[in-house]
Coordinates of all heavy atoms in Angstrom, one line a residue:
M1 N -96.6 1.7 2.1 CA -96.2 1.2 0.8 C -94.8 1.4 0.5 O -94.1 0.6 -0.1 CB -97.2 1.8 -0.2 CG -97.0 1.3 -1.6 SD -97.4 -0.4 -1.7 CE -97.0 -0.8 -3.4
C2 N -94.3 2.6 0.9 CA -92.9 3.0 0.6 C -92.0 2.1 1.4 O -90.9 1.7 0.9 CB -92.7 4.4 1.0 SG -91.0 5.0 0.6
C3 N -92.3 1.7 2.6 CA -91.5 0.8 3.4 C -91.4 -0.6 2.7 O -90.3 -1.2 2.7 CB -92.0 0.7 4.8 SG -91.9 2.2 5.7
V4 N -92.4 -1.1 2.2 CA -92.4 -2.4 1.5 C -91.5 -2.3 0.3 O -90.7 -3.2 0.0 CB -93.8 -2.8 1.1 CG1 -93.8 -4.1 0.3 CG2 -94.7 -3.0 2.4
L5 N -91.6 -1.3 -0.5 CA -90.8 -1.1 -1.7 C -89.3 -1.0 -1.3 O -88.5 -1.6 -1.9 CB -91.2 0.1 -2.4 CG -90.5 0.4 -3.8 CD1 -90.7 -0.8 -4.7 CD2 -91.0 1.7 -4.4
S6 N -89.0 -0.2 -0.3 CA -87.6 -0.1 0.2 C -87.1 -1.5 0.7 O -85.9 -1.8 0.4 CB -87.5 0.9 1.3 OG -87.9 2.2 0.9
L7 N -87.9 -2.2 1.4 CA -87.5 -3.5 1.8 C -87.2 -4.4 0.7 O -86.2 -5.2 0.7 CB -88.6 -4.1 2.7 CG -88.3 -5.4 3.5 CD1 -87.2 -5.1 4.5 CD2 -89.6 -5.9 4.1
L8 N -88.0 -4.4 -0.3 CA -87.8 -5.2 -1.5 C -86.5 -4.8 -2.3 O -85.8 -5.7 -2.8 CB -89.0 -5.2 -2.5 CG -90.2 -5.9 -2.0 CD1 -91.4 -5.7 -3.0 CD2 -89.9 -7.4 -1.9
V9 N -86.3 -3.6 -2.3 CA -85.0 -3.1 -3.0 C -83.8 -3.5 -2.3 O -82.8 -3.9 -2.9 CB -85.1 -1.6 -3.2 CG1 -83.8 -1.0 -3.7 CG2 -86.2 -1.2 -4.2
F10 N -83.8 -3.4 -1.0 CA -82.6 -3.8 -0.2 C -82.4 -5.2 0.1 O -81.4 -5.8 0.0 CB -82.6 -3.0 1.1 CG -82.2 -1.5 0.9 CD1 -83.2 -0.5 1.0 CD2 -80.9 -1.2 0.6 CE1 -82.8 0.8 0.9 CE2 -80.6 0.2 0.4 CZ -81.5 1.1 0.5
I11 N -83.5 -5.9 0.4 CA -83.4 -7.3 0.8 C -83.7 -8.3 -0.3 O -83.1 -9.4 -0.4 CB -84.3 -7.6 2.0 CG1 -83.8 -6.8 3.2 CG2 -84.4 -9.1 2.4 CD1 -84.7 -6.9 4.4
G12 N -84.5 -7.9 -1.2 CA -84.9 -8.8 -2.4 C -83.7 -9.4 -3.1 O -83.7 -10.6 -3.3
P13 N -82.8 -8.6 -3.6 CA -81.7 -9.2 -4.3 C -80.8 -10.1 -3.5 O -80.2 -11.1 -4.0 CB -80.9 -8.0 -4.9 CG -81.3 -6.8 -4.0 CD -82.7 -7.1 -3.6
R14 N -80.7 -9.8 -2.2 CA -79.9 -10.7 -1.3 C -80.6 -12.0 -1.2 O -79.9 -13.1 -1.2 CB -79.7 -10.0 0.0 CG -78.7 -8.8 -0.1 CD -78.7 -7.9 1.1 NE -77.7 -6.8 1.0 CZ -78.0 -5.7 0.4 NH1 -79.2 -5.4 0.0 NH2 -77.1 -4.7 0.4
I15 N -81.9 -12.0 -1.0 CA -82.6 -13.3 -0.9 C -82.5 -14.0 -2.2 O -82.3 -15.3 -2.2 CB -84.0 -13.0 -0.5 CG1 -84.1 -12.5 1.0 CG2 -84.9 -14.3 -0.6 CD1 -85.4 -12.1 1.5
A16 N -82.6 -13.3 -3.3 CA -82.5 -14.0 -4.6 C -81.2 -14.6 -4.8 O -81.0 -15.7 -5.4 CB -82.8 -12.9 -5.7
A17 N -80.1 -13.9 -4.4 CA -78.7 -14.4 -4.6 C -78.5 -15.7 -3.7 O -77.9 -16.6 -4.2 CB -77.7 -13.3 -4.2
I18 N -79.0 -15.7 -2.5 CA -78.9 -16.9 -1.7 C -79.7 -18.0 -2.3 O -79.2 -19.2 -2.3 CB -79.3 -16.5 -0.2 CG1 -78.4 -15.5 0.4 CG2 -79.5 -17.8 0.6 CD1 -78.9 -15.0 1.7
A19 N -80.9 -17.8 -2.7 CA -81.7 -18.8 -3.3 C -81.0 -19.4 -4.6 O -81.0 -20.6 -4.8 CB -83.1 -18.3 -3.7
W20 N -80.5 -18.5 -5.4 CA -79.8 -18.9 -6.7 C -78.5 -19.7 -6.3 O -78.2 -20.6 -7.0 CB -79.5 -17.6 -7.5 CG -79.0 -17.9 -8.9 CD1 -79.0 -19.1 -9.6 CD2 -78.6 -17.0 -9.8 NE1 -78.6 -19.0 -10.8 CE2 -78.3 -17.7 -11.0 CE3 -78.3 -15.6 -9.8 CZ2 -77.8 -17.0 -12.2 CZ3 -77.9 -15.0 -10.9 CH2 -77.6 -15.7 -12.1
Y21 N -77.8 -19.3 -5.3 CA -76.6 -20.0 -4.9 C -77.0 -21.4 -4.4 O -76.3 -22.4 -4.8 CB -75.9 -19.3 -3.8 CG -74.7 -20.1 -3.3 CD1 -73.5 -20.0 -4.1 CD2 -74.7 -20.8 -2.2 CE1 -72.3 -20.7 -3.7 CE2 -73.5 -21.5 -1.8 CZ -72.4 -21.5 -2.6 OH -71.3 -22.2 -2.2
I22 N -78.1 -21.6 -3.7 CA -78.5 -22.9 -3.2 C -78.9 -23.8 -4.4 O -78.6 -25.0 -4.4 CB -79.6 -22.7 -2.2 CG1 -79.0 -22.1 -0.9 CG2 -80.3 -24.1 -1.9 CD1 -80.1 -21.7 0.1
T23 N -79.6 -23.2 -5.4 CA -80.1 -24.0 -6.5 C -79.1 -24.3 -7.6 O -79.2 -25.2 -8.3 CB -81.3 -23.4 -7.1 OG1 -81.0 -22.1 -7.6 CG2 -82.5 -23.3 -6.1
D24 N -78.1 -23.4 -7.8 CA -77.1 -23.5 -8.9 C -75.7 -23.1 -8.4 O -75.1 -22.2 -8.9 CB -77.6 -22.6 -10.0 CG -76.8 -22.9 -11.3 OD1 -76.1 -23.9 -11.4 OD2 -77.0 -22.2 -12.3
T25 N -75.2 -23.9 -7.5 CA -73.9 -23.7 -6.9 C -72.8 -23.7 -8.0 O -71.8 -22.9 -7.9 CB -73.6 -24.7 -5.8 OG1 -74.7 -24.7 -4.9 CG2 -72.3 -24.3 -5.1
A26 N -72.9 -24.5 -9.0 CA -71.8 -24.7 -10.0 C -71.6 -23.4 -10.8 O -70.5 -23.0 -11.1 CB -72.2 -25.8 -10.9
R27 N -72.7 -22.7 -11.0 CA -72.6 -21.4 -11.8 C -71.9 -20.4 -10.9 O -71.1 -19.6 -11.4 CB -74.0 -20.9 -12.1 CG -74.0 -19.7 -13.0 CD -75.4 -19.3 -13.4 NE -75.4 -18.3 -14.4 CZ -75.6 -18.5 -15.7 NH1 -75.9 -19.7 -16.2 NH2 -75.6 -17.6 -16.6
W28 N -72.2 -20.3 -9.6 CA -71.5 -19.4 -8.8 C -70.0 -19.7 -8.6 O -69.2 -18.8 -8.6 CB -72.1 -19.4 -7.4 CG -73.4 -18.6 -7.4 CD1 -74.6 -19.0 -7.9 CD2 -73.6 -17.3 -6.9 NE1 -75.5 -18.0 -7.7 CE2 -75.0 -16.9 -7.1 CE3 -72.8 -16.4 -6.2 CZ2 -75.5 -15.7 -6.7 CZ3 -73.3 -15.1 -5.8 CH2 -74.7 -14.8 -6.1
N29 N -69.7 -21.0 -8.5 CA -68.3 -21.4 -8.5 C -67.5 -21.1 -9.8 O -66.3 -20.8 -9.7 CB -68.2 -22.9 -8.2 CG -68.6 -23.3 -6.8 OD1 -68.6 -22.4 -5.9 ND2 -69.1 -24.5 -6.6
A30 N -68.2 -21.2 -10.9 CA -67.6 -20.8 -12.2 C -67.4 -19.3 -12.3 O -66.4 -18.8 -12.9 CB -68.5 -21.2 -13.3
A31 N -68.2 -18.5 -11.6 CA -68.2 -17.1 -11.7 C -67.1 -16.5 -10.8 O -66.5 -15.4 -11.1 CB -69.5 -16.4 -11.4
F32 N -66.9 -17.1 -9.6 CA -65.9 -16.6 -8.6 C -64.9 -17.7 -8.2 O -65.2 -18.8 -8.1 CB -66.7 -16.2 -7.4 CG -67.7 -15.0 -7.6 CD1 -69.0 -15.3 -7.6 CD2 -67.2 -13.7 -7.8 CE1 -70.0 -14.3 -7.8 CE2 -68.2 -12.7 -8.0 CZ -69.5 -13.0 -8.0
S33 N -63.7 -17.2 -8.0 CA -62.6 -18.2 -7.7 C -62.5 -18.5 -6.2 O -62.1 -19.6 -5.9 CB -61.3 -17.6 -8.1 OG -61.0 -16.4 -7.5
N34 N -63.0 -17.6 -5.3 CA -63.1 -17.9 -3.9 C -64.3 -17.4 -3.3 O -65.1 -16.7 -4.0 CB -61.8 -17.4 -3.1 CG -61.8 -15.9 -3.1 OD1 -62.8 -15.2 -3.1 ND2 -60.6 -15.3 -3.0
I35 N -64.6 -17.8 -2.1 CA -65.9 -17.5 -1.5 C -66.0 -16.0 -1.0 O -67.1 -15.5 -0.8 CB -66.2 -18.5 -0.3 CG1 -67.7 -18.4 0.1 CG2 -65.3 -18.2 0.8 CD1 -68.6 -19.0 -0.9
L36 N -64.9 -15.3 -0.8 CA -64.9 -14.0 -0.3 C -65.7 -13.0 -1.2 O -66.4 -12.2 -0.8 CB -63.5 -13.5 0.0 CG -63.4 -12.1 0.6 CD1 -64.0 -12.1 1.9 CD2 -61.9 -11.7 0.7
W37 N -65.4 -13.1 -2.5 CA -66.0 -12.1 -3.5 C -67.5 -12.2 -3.5 O -68.2 -11.2 -3.5 CB -65.4 -12.3 -4.9 CG -64.0 -11.8 -4.9 CD1 -62.9 -12.6 -5.1 CD2 -63.5 -10.5 -4.6 NE1 -61.7 -11.8 -5.0 CE2 -62.1 -10.5 -4.7 CE3 -64.1 -9.3 -4.3 CZ2 -61.3 -9.4 -4.5 CZ3 -63.4 -8.2 -4.1 CH2 -62.0 -8.2 -4.2
P38 N -68.1 -13.4 -3.6 CA -69.6 -13.4 -3.7 C -70.2 -13.0 -2.4 O -71.3 -12.3 -2.4 CB -69.9 -14.9 -4.0 CG -68.7 -15.7 -3.8 CD -67.5 -14.7 -3.9
I39 N -69.6 -13.3 -1.2 CA -70.2 -12.8 0.0 C -70.1 -11.3 0.1 O -71.1 -10.6 0.5 CB -69.4 -13.4 1.2 CG1 -69.7 -14.9 1.3 CG2 -69.8 -12.8 2.6 CD1 -68.9 -15.7 2.3
A40 N -69.0 -10.7 -0.2 CA -68.8 -9.2 -0.2 C -69.8 -8.6 -1.2 O -70.4 -7.6 -1.0 CB -67.4 -8.8 -0.5
G41 N -69.9 -9.2 -2.4 CA -70.8 -8.7 -3.4 C -72.2 -8.7 -3.0 O -73.0 -7.7 -3.2
V42 N -72.7 -9.8 -2.4 CA -74.1 -9.9 -2.0 C -74.3 -8.9 -0.8 O -75.4 -8.3 -0.8 CB -74.4 -11.3 -1.5 CG1 -75.8 -11.4 -0.8 CG2 -74.5 -12.2 -2.7
L43 N -73.4 -8.6 0.0 CA -73.6 -7.7 1.1 C -73.6 -6.2 0.6 O -74.4 -5.4 1.1 CB -72.5 -7.8 2.2 CG -72.6 -9.1 3.0 CD1 -71.4 -9.2 3.9 CD2 -73.9 -9.1 3.8
F44 N -72.7 -5.8 -0.3 CA -72.5 -4.5 -0.6 C -73.0 -4.1 -2.0 O -73.6 -2.9 -2.2 CB -71.0 -4.1 -0.6 CG -70.4 -4.3 0.7 CD1 -69.4 -5.3 1.0 CD2 -70.8 -3.5 1.8 CE1 -68.9 -5.4 2.2 CE2 -70.2 -3.6 3.0 CZ -69.3 -4.6 3.3
V45 N -73.0 -4.9 -3.0 CA -73.5 -4.6 -4.4 C -74.3 -5.8 -4.9 O -73.8 -6.5 -5.9 CB -72.4 -4.2 -5.3 CG1 -71.9 -2.8 -5.1 CG2 -71.2 -5.1 -5.3
P46 N -75.5 -6.1 -4.3 CA -76.1 -7.4 -4.7 C -76.6 -7.4 -6.2 O -76.6 -8.4 -6.8 CB -77.3 -7.4 -3.7 CG -77.5 -6.0 -3.3 CD -76.2 -5.4 -3.3
W47 N -77.1 -6.3 -6.7 CA -77.6 -6.3 -8.1 C -76.5 -6.5 -9.0 O -76.6 -7.3 -10.0 CB -78.3 -5.0 -8.4 CG -79.6 -4.8 -7.7 CD1 -79.9 -3.9 -6.7 CD2 -80.8 -5.4 -8.0 NE1 -81.2 -4.0 -6.4 CE2 -81.8 -5.0 -7.2 CE3 -81.2 -6.5 -8.9 CZ2 -83.1 -5.4 -7.1 CZ3 -82.5 -6.9 -9.0 CH2 -83.4 -6.4 -8.1
M48 N -75.3 -5.9 -8.8 CA -74.1 -6.2 -9.7 C -73.7 -7.6 -9.5 O -73.3 -8.2 -10.5 CB -73.0 -5.2 -9.4 CG -71.9 -5.2 -10.4 SD -70.6 -4.0 -10.0 CE -69.5 -5.0 -9.1
T49 N -73.7 -8.2 -8.3 CA -73.3 -9.5 -8.2 C -74.2 -10.5 -8.9 O -73.7 -11.4 -9.6 CB -73.3 -9.9 -6.7 OG1 -72.4 -9.0 -6.0 CG2 -72.8 -11.3 -6.4
L50 N -75.5 -10.3 -8.9 CA -76.4 -11.1 -9.6 C -76.2 -11.0 -11.1 O -76.2 -12.0 -11.8 CB -77.8 -10.7 -9.3 CG -78.4 -11.1 -7.9 CD1 -79.7 -10.4 -7.7 CD2 -78.4 -12.6 -7.8
A51 N -75.9 -9.7 -11.6 CA -75.6 -9.6 -13.0 C -74.3 -10.3 -13.4 O -74.2 -10.9 -14.5 CB -75.5 -8.0 -13.3
W52 N -73.3 -10.2 -12.5 CA -72.0 -10.8 -12.8 C -72.2 -12.4 -12.9 O -71.7 -13.0 -13.9 CB -71.0 -10.5 -11.7 CG -69.7 -11.1 -12.0 CD1 -69.2 -12.3 -11.6 CD2 -68.6 -10.5 -12.7 NE1 -67.9 -12.5 -12.0 CE2 -67.6 -11.4 -12.7 CE3 -68.5 -9.3 -13.4 CZ2 -66.4 -11.1 -13.4 CZ3 -67.3 -9.0 -14.1 CH2 -66.3 -9.9 -14.1
V53 N -72.9 -13.0 -12.0 CA -73.1 -14.4 -12.0 C -73.9 -14.8 -13.3 O -73.7 -15.8 -13.9 CB -73.8 -14.9 -10.7 CG1 -74.2 -16.3 -10.8 CG2 -72.9 -14.7 -9.6
W54 N -74.9 -14.0 -13.6 CA -75.7 -14.2 -14.8 C -74.9 -14.2 -16.1 O -75.1 -15.0 -17.0 CB -76.9 -13.2 -14.8 CG -77.8 -13.4 -16.0 CD1 -78.3 -14.6 -16.5 CD2 -78.5 -12.4 -16.7 NE1 -79.2 -14.4 -17.5 CE2 -79.4 -13.0 -17.6 CE3 -78.5 -11.0 -16.6 CZ2 -80.2 -12.3 -18.5 CZ3 -79.3 -10.3 -17.5 CH2 -80.1 -11.0 -18.4
M55 N -74.0 -13.3 -16.2 CA -73.2 -13.1 -17.4 C -71.9 -13.8 -17.5 O -71.3 -14.0 -18.6 CB -72.9 -11.6 -17.6 CG -74.1 -10.7 -17.9 SD -74.7 -11.0 -19.5 CE -76.4 -11.1 -19.2
S56 N -71.4 -14.3 -16.4 CA -70.0 -14.7 -16.4 C -69.6 -16.2 -16.5 O -68.4 -16.5 -16.3 CB -69.3 -14.2 -15.1 OG -69.7 -14.9 -14.0
P57 N -70.4 -17.1 -16.8 CA -69.9 -18.5 -16.9 C -68.8 -18.6 -17.9 O -67.8 -19.4 -17.6 CB -71.1 -19.3 -17.3 CG -72.3 -18.5 -16.9 CD -71.9 -17.1 -16.9
D58 N -68.8 -17.9 -19.0 CA -67.7 -18.0 -20.0 C -66.8 -16.7 -19.9 O -66.0 -16.5 -20.8 CB -68.3 -18.1 -21.4 CG -69.1 -19.4 -21.5 OD1 -68.8 -20.4 -20.9 OD2 -70.2 -19.3 -22.2
G59 N -67.0 -15.9 -18.9 CA -66.3 -14.7 -18.8 C -67.1 -13.5 -19.3 O -67.8 -13.7 -20.3
V60 N -67.0 -12.4 -18.7 CA -67.8 -11.2 -19.1 C -67.0 -10.5 -20.2 O -65.8 -10.1 -20.1 CB -68.0 -10.2 -17.9 CG1 -68.8 -9.0 -18.4 CG2 -68.7 -11.0 -16.8
S61 N -67.6 -10.2 -21.3 CA -67.0 -9.5 -22.4 C -68.0 -8.8 -23.3 O -69.2 -9.2 -23.3 CB -66.2 -10.6 -23.3 OG -67.1 -11.5 -23.9
G62 N -67.6 -7.8 -24.0 CA -68.4 -7.1 -25.0 C -69.6 -6.4 -24.3 O -69.5 -5.8 -23.3
L63 N -70.8 -6.7 -24.8 CA -72.0 -6.0 -24.4 C -72.4 -6.5 -23.0 O -73.3 -5.9 -22.4 CB -73.1 -6.2 -25.4 CG -72.8 -5.5 -26.8 CD1 -74.0 -5.7 -27.7 CD2 -72.7 -4.0 -26.6
E64 N -71.9 -7.6 -22.6 CA -72.3 -8.1 -21.2 C -71.9 -7.2 -20.1 O -72.4 -7.2 -19.1 CB -71.7 -9.5 -21.0 CG -72.2 -10.6 -21.9 CD -71.5 -11.9 -21.9 OE1 -70.4 -11.9 -21.3 OE2 -72.0 -12.9 -22.4
W65 N -70.8 -6.4 -20.4 CA -70.4 -5.4 -19.4 C -71.5 -4.4 -19.2 O -71.6 -3.8 -18.1 CB -69.1 -4.7 -19.9 CG -67.9 -5.5 -19.6 CD1 -67.2 -6.1 -20.5 CD2 -67.3 -5.8 -18.3 NE1 -66.1 -6.8 -19.9 CE2 -66.2 -6.6 -18.6 CE3 -67.6 -5.4 -17.1 CZ2 -65.4 -7.1 -17.5 CZ3 -66.8 -5.9 -16.0 CH2 -65.7 -6.7 -16.3
I66 N -72.4 -4.1 -20.2 CA -73.5 -3.2 -20.0 C -74.4 -3.7 -18.9 O -74.9 -2.9 -18.1 CB -74.2 -2.9 -21.3 CG1 -73.2 -2.2 -22.3 CG2 -75.5 -2.1 -21.1 CD1 -73.8 -2.0 -23.7
V67 N -74.7 -5.0 -18.9 CA -75.6 -5.6 -18.0 C -75.0 -5.5 -16.6 O -75.7 -5.1 -15.6 CB -75.9 -7.1 -18.3 CG1 -76.7 -7.7 -17.2 CG2 -76.6 -7.2 -19.6
V68 N -73.7 -5.7 -16.4 CA -73.0 -5.6 -15.1 C -73.1 -4.1 -14.7 O -73.3 -3.9 -13.5 CB -71.6 -6.2 -15.2 CG1 -70.9 -6.0 -13.9 CG2 -71.6 -7.7 -15.5
G69 N -72.8 -3.2 -15.6 CA -72.9 -1.8 -15.3 C -74.3 -1.4 -14.8 O -74.4 -0.5 -13.9
L70 N -75.3 -1.9 -15.5 CA -76.7 -1.6 -15.0 C -76.9 -2.1 -13.6 O -77.6 -1.5 -12.8 CB -77.7 -2.2 -16.0 CG -77.8 -1.5 -17.4 CD1 -78.7 -2.3 -18.3 CD2 -78.2 -0.1 -17.2
G71 N -76.4 -3.3 -13.3 CA -76.5 -3.8 -11.9 C -75.9 -2.8 -10.9 O -76.4 -2.6 -9.9
L72 N -74.7 -2.3 -11.3 CA -74.0 -1.3 -10.4 C -74.8 -0.1 -10.3 O -75.0 0.5 -9.2 CB -72.6 -1.0 -11.0 CG -71.8 0.0 -10.2 CD1 -71.5 -0.5 -8.8 CD2 -70.5 0.4 -10.9
L73 N -75.4 0.4 -11.4 CA -76.3 1.6 -11.3 C -77.5 1.3 -10.4 O -77.9 2.2 -9.7 CB -76.7 2.0 -12.7 CG -75.7 2.6 -13.6 CD1 -76.2 3.0 -15.0 CD2 -75.1 3.9 -12.9
L74 N -78.1 0.1 -10.5 CA -79.2 -0.2 -9.6 C -78.7 -0.1 -8.1 O -79.5 0.4 -7.3 CB -79.7 -1.6 -9.9 CG -80.7 -1.7 -11.1 CD1 -81.0 -3.1 -11.4 CD2 -82.0 -1.0 -10.7
D75 N -77.6 -0.6 -7.8 CA -77.0 -0.6 -6.5 C -76.8 0.9 -6.0 O -77.2 1.2 -4.9 CB -75.7 -1.4 -6.3 CG -75.9 -2.9 -6.4 OD1 -77.0 -3.3 -5.9 OD2 -75.1 -3.6 -7.0
I76 N -76.2 1.7 -6.9 CA -76.0 3.1 -6.5 C -77.3 3.8 -6.3 O -77.5 4.5 -5.3 CB -75.2 3.8 -7.6 CG1 -73.7 3.2 -7.5 CG2 -75.1 5.3 -7.3 CD1 -72.9 3.6 -8.7
G77 N -78.3 3.5 -7.1 CA -79.6 4.1 -7.0 C -80.3 3.7 -5.7 O -81.0 4.5 -5.1
A78 N -80.2 2.4 -5.4 CA -80.8 1.9 -4.1 C -80.2 2.6 -2.9 O -81.0 3.0 -2.0 CB -80.6 0.4 -4.0
F79 N -78.9 2.8 -2.9 CA -78.3 3.5 -1.7 C -78.5 5.0 -1.8 O -78.8 5.6 -0.8 CB -76.8 3.2 -1.7 CG -76.5 1.8 -1.3 CD1 -75.7 1.0 -2.1 CD2 -77.0 1.3 -0.1 CE1 -75.4 -0.3 -1.7 CE2 -76.7 0.0 0.3 CZ -75.9 -0.8 -0.6
G80 N -78.4 5.6 -2.9 CA -78.6 7.0 -3.1 C -80.0 7.5 -2.9 O -80.3 8.6 -2.4
G81 N -80.9 6.7 -3.4 CA -82.3 7.0 -3.4 C -82.9 7.2 -1.9 O -83.7 8.0 -1.6
G82 N -82.4 6.3 -1.0 CA -82.8 6.4 0.3 C -82.3 7.7 1.0 O -83.1 8.4 1.7
G83 N -81.1 8.2 0.7 CA -80.6 9.5 1.2 C -81.4 10.6 0.7 O -81.7 11.6 1.3
Y84 N -81.7 10.5 -0.6 CA -82.5 11.6 -1.3 C -83.9 11.8 -0.7 O -84.3 12.9 -0.4 CB -82.5 11.4 -2.8 CG -83.3 12.4 -3.5 CD1 -82.6 13.7 -3.8 CD2 -84.6 12.3 -4.0 CE1 -83.3 14.7 -4.5 CE2 -85.2 13.3 -4.7 CZ -84.6 14.5 -4.9 OH -85.2 15.4 -5.6
S85 N -84.5 10.7 -0.4 CA -85.9 10.7 0.1 C -85.8 11.2 1.6 O -86.8 11.9 2.0 CB -86.6 9.4 0.0 OG -86.0 8.4 0.8
R86 N -84.8 10.8 2.4 CA -84.7 11.3 3.8 C -84.5 12.8 3.8 O -85.0 13.5 4.7 CB -83.6 10.6 4.5 CG -84.0 9.3 5.0 CD -82.9 8.7 6.0 NE -81.6 8.7 5.4 CZ -81.1 7.7 4.6 NH1 -81.9 6.7 4.4 NH2 -79.9 7.7 4.2
R87 N -83.7 13.3 2.8 CA -83.4 14.8 2.8 C -84.7 15.6 2.6 O -84.9 16.6 3.1 CB -82.4 15.1 1.7 CG -82.0 16.5 1.7 CD -81.0 16.7 0.6 NE -81.7 16.5 -0.7 CZ -81.2 16.7 -1.8 NH1 -79.9 16.9 -2.0 NH2 -81.9 16.5 -2.9
N88 N -85.7 15.0 1.8 CA -86.9 15.8 1.4 C -87.9 15.7 2.5 O -88.9 16.4 2.5 CB -87.4 15.3 0.1 CG -86.6 15.8 -1.0 OD1 -85.9 16.8 -0.9 ND2 -86.7 15.0 -2.1
R89 N -87.8 14.8 3.5 CA -88.8 14.7 4.6 C -88.8 16.0 5.5 O -89.9 16.3 6.1 CB -88.5 13.5 5.4 CG -89.1 12.3 4.8 CD -89.0 11.1 5.7 NE -89.0 9.9 4.9 CZ -88.6 8.8 5.3 NH1 -88.1 8.6 6.6 NH2 -88.6 7.7 4.5
G90 N -87.7 16.6 5.6 CA -87.7 17.8 6.4 C -87.6 17.6 7.8 O -87.8 17.7 8.8

């Protein structure tokens, strides 16, 4: 069960980002000026990238930064949580 959850946390947002890009390319083009940023974002910080695309058609401002920050915290938690659980296995 833990492996399935880990798989969903790591691969799930990447699959969602690819599916969202295929279905709504215009929104992704409005959020990013070149193709390098979304590719790097999906590889390294997928939750934050999804939050950025969700919030940024008119530019991220005000309380929308909280949503982007929560995406970053989810990414940090996904990477840090794996190291924490490996340390406790002994």
Side-chain angles (χ1 to χ4, degrees):
M1 182 65 181
C2 183
C3 294
V4 172
L5 184 61
S6 296
L7 188 66
L8 287 175
V9 168
F10 284 109
I11 295 177
R14 289 168 177 88
I15 292 172
I18 292 168
W20 192 7
Y21 179 78
I22 290 170
T23 59
D24 194 5
T25 307
R27 186 176 190 103
W28 283 74
N29 290 336
F32 299 104
S33 59
N34 67 28
I35 193 71
L36 181 64
W37 291 116
I39 290 173
V42 168
L43 288 176
F44 298 113
V45 284
W47 289 108
M48 189 177 95
T49 304
L50 288 172
W52 183 269
V53 172
W54 183 36
M55 292 288 136
S56 73
D58 299 325
V60 178
S61 63
L63 294 177
E64 294 172 346
W65 281 107
I66 293 174
V67 175
V68 175
L70 288 174
L72 180 63
L73 288 176
L74 278 170
D75 286 324
I76 292 170
F79 289 123
Y84 182 76
S85 65
R86 276 193 306 274
R87 184 180 66 181
N88 288 336
R89 279 191 204 158

